[in-house]
Amino acid sequence: MAKKPIFSATHPRAISSAFERVFLTRQDMQCFHEPFGDVYYHGKERLGDRYEDDKLARTNSGFSNATYKDIFDAIEKGGSEGKRVFIKDMAYYLMPPDDKPPSIAPSLVNYKRGVGTTTNGELNGHSNGAAVAPVNGDHSETRPYPYTTKAEPGNPTVVPEAVLKRFHFTFLIRHPRSSIPSYWRCTVPPLNKVTGFYDFMPSEAGYAELVRLFDYLRGIGLVGPSIAGQAKPNGTNGVNGTNGEKNDDKVEICVIDADDMLDNPEAMIKTYCKSINLEYKPEMLNWDNEEDQERARAVFEKWPGFHDDALDSTHLKKREHKKKPKSDDQLYQEWTEKFGEEAAKTIRQTVEENVPHYEYLKQFAIKV
């Protein structure tokens, strides 16, 4: 049986592009860089608010007619040549913003046989009693969400459970004290002229959605109960279910904290590879060659301005000194000096709102 595609779910500014570069070195893997953002922001099943009033931006993106099914089809095609698929994406791209109630994306209602397949081709009409919005034509003139489809009980995403089960989920986190001000910087001058993100939206912090996805997958038994890098619960082997029985639908909980990774990248990536059943190779931590650099440039060009540090890097190496925690007052003063007092207040509030989400996920993080 082919290995499941790896879905590394994260939030913005989690050093996720540097983490992704580790897997971009593998010629036996097909990497997908934040594919669901295309439909979340620009597509005919879009959920995000950022470009809702900017039809030109959605059109210029090339994805104004994209659906969630299109993305899953592309992922399936990418793994059709025997390569293992690695996806790095934001959990919030799979959910309506601001904790709005989800329902299944219209294009995914009839996904019966797996990613990239449907039972009837076009997805118009009704299925299993669920009213389905038409996906043909251009929805650019009207907001497509809320959909007219039904929700799956307990599922916080717009993706059916049957589709989620086809992926091997892992999680990447970083403390909000680091990620939130980093994201702010991408949404204000001068960098916002490159990124095209012209204002900071707290709803894009991404932690609450990551927790909801994590809890849901854990609740339906798609991840857990074992935790990568930790002792296994009695009666489990940590990867394939309980009592030594093989169960491809159950994988151990695998959470990486970005700061832990930077403190000990080799041990962390080794543990991660073991968790996802991938052979670790030391050269994965070094991409100081033109072939790897060109591959990364091609992958990261879709979101300009967000990945400059990762593009300028040549390897993932252990940082010389561990990051020393700063007090809240010190951080607030830094944010005020960099961005102004009003910005610092917003950053601080957003950080405070998301620290509990981070700390909740942190308890499951790999320890090496």
Side-chain angles (χ1 to χ4, degrees):
M1 179 181 293
K3 296 178 182 177
K4 289 183 177 181
I6 304 152
F7 195 126
S8 177
T10 187
H11 57 78
R13 313 309 291 169
I15 314 184
S16 58
S17 296
F19 177 66
E20 185 178 2
R21 291 215 64 172
V22 170
F23 301 94
L24 281 168
T25 64
R26 301 282 299 242
Q27 297 300 315
D28 59 344
M29 300 188 77
Q30 177 67 50
C31 294
F32 286 85
H33 175 69
E34 301 178 19
F36 293 100
D38 298 326
V39 62
Y40 178 86
Y41 284 120
H42 305 298
K44 65 171 61 176
E45 293 178 332
R46 63 188 177 277
L47 299 168
D49 297 321
R50 182 170 289 279
Y51 296 102
E52 188 55 35
D53 297 324
D54 192 346
K55 181 180 177 181
L56 180 61
R58 299 200 307 270
T59 301
N60 289 343
S61 74
F63 292 98
S64 61
N65 284 313
T67 66
Y68 279 93
K69 177 183 180 296
D70 292 332
I71 307 302
F72 283 110
D73 284 349
I75 291 170
E76 182 190 31
K77 184 177 180 181
S80 63
E81 297 180 357
K83 292 186 176 183
R84 189 159 188 200
V85 168
F86 179 88
I87 305 155
K88 189 271 289 187
D89 219 336
M90 307 300 152
Y92 79 81
Y93 289 165
L94 305 180
M95 307 178 198
D98 300 316
D99 201 18
K100 295 174 184 174
S103 62
I104 299 303
S107 65
L108 298 180
V109 168
N110 287 338
Y111 258 41
K112 296 295 186 183
R113 293 172 293 176
V115 177
T117 60
T118 65
T119 56
N120 64 353
E122 298 299 334
L123 298 180
N124 298 318
H126 299 262
S127 173
N128 298 327
V132 182
V135 297
N136 293 323
D138 187 353
H139 283 198
S140 298
E141 297 297 338
T142 58
R143 188 181 183 105
Y145 190 84
Y147 309 139
T148 58
T149 54
K150 289 184 177 180
E152 286 186 346
N155 187 346
T157 79
V158 300
V159 181
E161 177 184 323
V163 177
L164 295 174
K165 284 184 174 181
R166 296 183 174 272
F167 295 87
H168 184 137
F169 281 92
T170 66
F171 306 87
L172 177 65
I173 58 174
R174 187 187 186 194
H175 201 290
R177 289 177 174 179
S178 299
S179 67
I180 299 300
S182 177
Y183 198 46
W184 179 279
R185 187 175 68 89
C186 295
T187 66
V188 296
L191 192 53
N192 65 355
K193 293 182 179 180
V194 180
T195 64
F197 280 41
Y198 290 104
D199 56 342
F200 176 78
M201 300 175 68
S203 63
E204 293 178 343
Y207 288 88
E209 292 82 2
L210 191 60
V211 167
R212 286 201 291 272
L213 177 63
F214 177 87
D215 281 345
Y216 174 66
L217 297 176
R218 194 173 175 218
I220 63 175
L222 193 52
V223 297
S226 299
I227 302 173
Q230 298 188 24
K232 315 305 180 187
N234 292 334
T236 72
N237 62 14
V239 177
N240 292 325
T242 60
N243 300 322
E245 296 176 358
K246 183 174 178 57
N247 187 335
D248 290 330
D249 287 334
K250 291 192 177 184
V251 298
E252 63 186 2
I253 294 170
C254 186
V255 179
I256 281 186
D257 186 297
D259 281 307
D260 294 341
M261 177 179 68
L262 294 179
D263 288 336
N264 199 343
E266 182 177 10
M268 189 65 64
I269 298 301
K270 278 184 176 179
T271 303
Y272 183 85
C273 286
K274 182 178 180 181
S275 181
I276 62 174
N277 195 19
L278 180 73
E279 180 187 2
Y280 170 77
K281 298 180 180 181
E283 55 266 31
M284 292 170 67
L285 303 185
N286 189 313
W287 44 84
D288 190 14
N289 61 80
E290 185 54 34
E291 182 180 3
D292 283 337
Q293 295 288 33
E294 181 58 35
R295 190 180 185 194
R297 281 192 291 268
V299 168
F300 293 157
E301 66 180 359
K302 65 185 289 186
W303 299 110
F306 284 101
H307 312 299
D308 293 349
D309 290 343
L311 280 171
D312 291 340
S313 68
T314 57
H315 50 269
L316 185 64
K317 68 175 182 177
K318 185 176 183 177
R319 56 186 173 193
E320 296 179 1
H321 304 286
K322 284 192 174 184
K323 195 172 184 179
K324 294 182 179 180
K326 296 180 180 180
S327 70
D328 291 343
D329 289 341
Q330 287 177 309
L331 289 170
Y332 186 75
Q333 182 62 31
E334 286 186 7
W335 302 335
T336 301
E337 292 173 357
K338 289 181 181 179
F339 306 116
E341 187 172 355
E342 289 303 312
K345 289 179 181 178
T346 301
I347 293 171
R348 180 172 62 183
Q349 180 181 349
T350 308
V351 169
E352 290 175 350
E353 290 171 351
N354 287 285
V355 164
H357 300 312
Y358 163 81
E359 291 179 340
Y360 171 71
L361 292 172
K362 175 67 174 179
Q363 66 182 318
F364 300 99
I366 293 172
K367 297 177 177 64
V368 294

